[in-house]
Amino acid sequence: MRIIIICLFLFVAMAHRAGAQPQPSPEDFVNQVFHMIVDSSFSKYYLVERADSCRFEKYDYDEWTKYYLKEPVSLAVMNELAQKVYLSHIKYDWRQDQLKKAVCITARKGDSLFTISNPALTARSTGKRKILRQWQELPAEERTLFSFSLPHFTDDGQYAVIDLNFICGIACGTGFTFLFRHASGGWKLIGKYANWSA
């Protein structure tokens, strides 16, 4: 009897796995969803080359259900995604050649995009004010930096979570955790939580 139960369990698991959605590479996933935070008018965007950690390892299910989800998502799915985030300790560098529009730069180089926007620096001299004005006149894509976490997927490939952040100055930016469901037309945004804003 025990062998029959084990075989039945394995059959159900294989049937479930056969219907699972294959998980895309991190770059393929970002290519499908980055337009939800990156301005579509940008010809390119600067991306910190090392993937961030996702903030979804702890979450409040009732809060997400009440305020942040566009459709019902089971507690089991949310817990599975949170567990994947919690167990992930991978240091990952984005593969720029596989990303659409991304220009990968180091965090240090990214910081240099904003050094002249510091009001404390510009208050001391007219020359620095002129530099600030010139910096502010640059196209937004030249003074905006993005950082993304690695995406995490449920085992069946139907749900994914990722953090997408943008920084537009020393005290300017926003960070979100996005929840997606795979639909017939691709990934559908079903949840959005603002982690921070400046």
Side-chain angles (χ1 to χ4, degrees):
M1 182 68 172
R2 177 180 275 169
I3 292 174
I4 294 172
I5 291 172
I6 291 171
C7 290
L8 182 61
F9 176 77
L10 290 173
F11 175 77
V12 169
M14 288 190 308
H16 176 71
R17 184 63 103 176
Q21 172 70 29
Q23 294 179 5
S25 73
E27 288 80 10
D28 286 341
F29 183 78
V30 166
N31 286 335
Q32 294 177 54
V33 302
F34 80 95
H35 66 277
M36 295 180 190
I37 191 167
V38 176
D39 188 323
S40 61
S41 69
F42 285 14
S43 63
K44 66 183 179 202
Y45 67 95
Y46 292 113
L47 176 65
V48 176
E49 66 183 359
R50 170 96 13 124
D52 285 337
S53 298
C54 186
R55 293 177 172 90
F56 194 70
E57 61 186 45
K58 292 183 179 179
Y59 73 96
D60 184 322
Y61 182 73
D62 292 333
E63 188 178 332
W64 268 83
T65 302
K66 190 171 182 180
Y67 301 111
Y68 309 119
L69 291 175
K70 297 180 179 182
E71 63 182 48
V73 178
S74 73
L75 179 61
V77 165
M78 301 283 274
N79 281 343
E80 183 180 352
L81 289 170
Q83 182 182 28
K84 301 266 184 186
V85 172
Y86 177 76
L87 295 174
S88 175
H89 302 288
I90 299 169
K91 292 186 177 177
Y92 188 83
D93 289 335
W94 295 108
R95 297 180 185 118
Q96 181 175 325
D97 61 325
Q98 296 178 26
L99 290 168
K100 296 176 183 173
K101 294 190 175 184
V103 176
C104 294
I105 61 175
T106 64
R108 185 174 184 160
K109 187 170 182 181
D111 287 343
S112 71
L113 293 174
F114 311 116
T115 53
I116 59 171
S117 68
N118 185 337
L121 296 176
T122 60
R124 294 194 186 118
S125 77
T126 307
K128 289 182 180 176
R129 286 190 193 123
K130 183 178 178 183
I131 291 171
L132 176 61
R133 273 196 310 277
Q134 291 171 343
W135 180 83
Q136 290 171 333
E137 291 169 0
L138 288 172
E141 70 182 45
E142 294 293 335
R143 49 189 172 88
T144 306
L145 178 65
F146 295 86
S147 66
F148 305 152
S149 73
L150 269 178
H152 297 278
F153 305 92
T154 53
D155 286 338
D156 64 5
Q158 293 299 309
Y159 291 90
V161 65
I162 188 172
D163 280 6
L164 302 176
N165 310 289
F166 78 91
I167 305 152
C168 48
I170 288 179
C172 173
T174 308
F176 297 100
T177 295
F178 288 109
L179 193 66
F180 293 91
R181 179 176 57 80
H182 196 271
S184 56
W187 290 99
K188 179 183 177 184
L189 176 63
I190 61 167
K192 178 180 176 181
Y193 175 79
N195 294 303
W196 62 273
S197 184

